[in-house]
Amino acid sequence: MQKYTYIADVNETKLTLTINDATAVVPLYQVFSNGKLVGCLLKENMEDDLVWSGTTMLTQKLAAEIGEFIKRTDEFVY
């Protein structure tokens, strides 16, 4: 299973997030900070665009930013 590491700027503090690759059935990415689950990201295809949403306030705030990071990383790796 692939994992992503993303460093986010939250309230002028650097926060290191580890994101597990999406499950096979539902495109749901689990987001962890310091080993604790802080929320999930959901990837949805809307017409010709990808839409990212979060399950917690933190992941909602960072959804588009992290989603773009995952997209760029996957394009580079694959």
Side-chain angles (χ1 to χ4, degrees):
M1 172 171 36
Q2 179 170 340
K3 291 187 178 193
Y4 305 88
T5 300
Y6 185 77
I7 300 172
D9 187 9
V10 178
N11 297 329
E12 298 181 11
T13 301
K14 299 292 183 196
L15 182 65
T16 302
L17 302 172
T18 302
I19 302 136
N20 287 344
D21 201 8
T23 58
V25 178
V26 178
L28 191 67
Y29 295 75
Q30 294 177 321
V31 181
F32 294 86
S33 179
N34 294 323
K36 296 181 181 174
L37 182 66
V38 294
C40 295
L41 291 173
L42 179 63
K43 178 173 72 170
E44 300 176 82
N45 290 316
M46 297 287 191
E47 298 185 16
D48 295 334
D49 232 1
L50 282 178
V51 177
W52 293 86
S53 57
T55 59
T56 62
M57 187 169 296
L58 176 65
T59 56
Q60 287 171 2
K61 179 180 176 186
L62 297 173
E65 186 177 328
I66 295 173
E68 184 62 28
F69 167 75
I70 290 172
K71 179 182 167 192
R72 285 192 326 265
T73 302
D74 287 350
E75 287 173 354
F76 180 74
V77 172
Y78 299 109

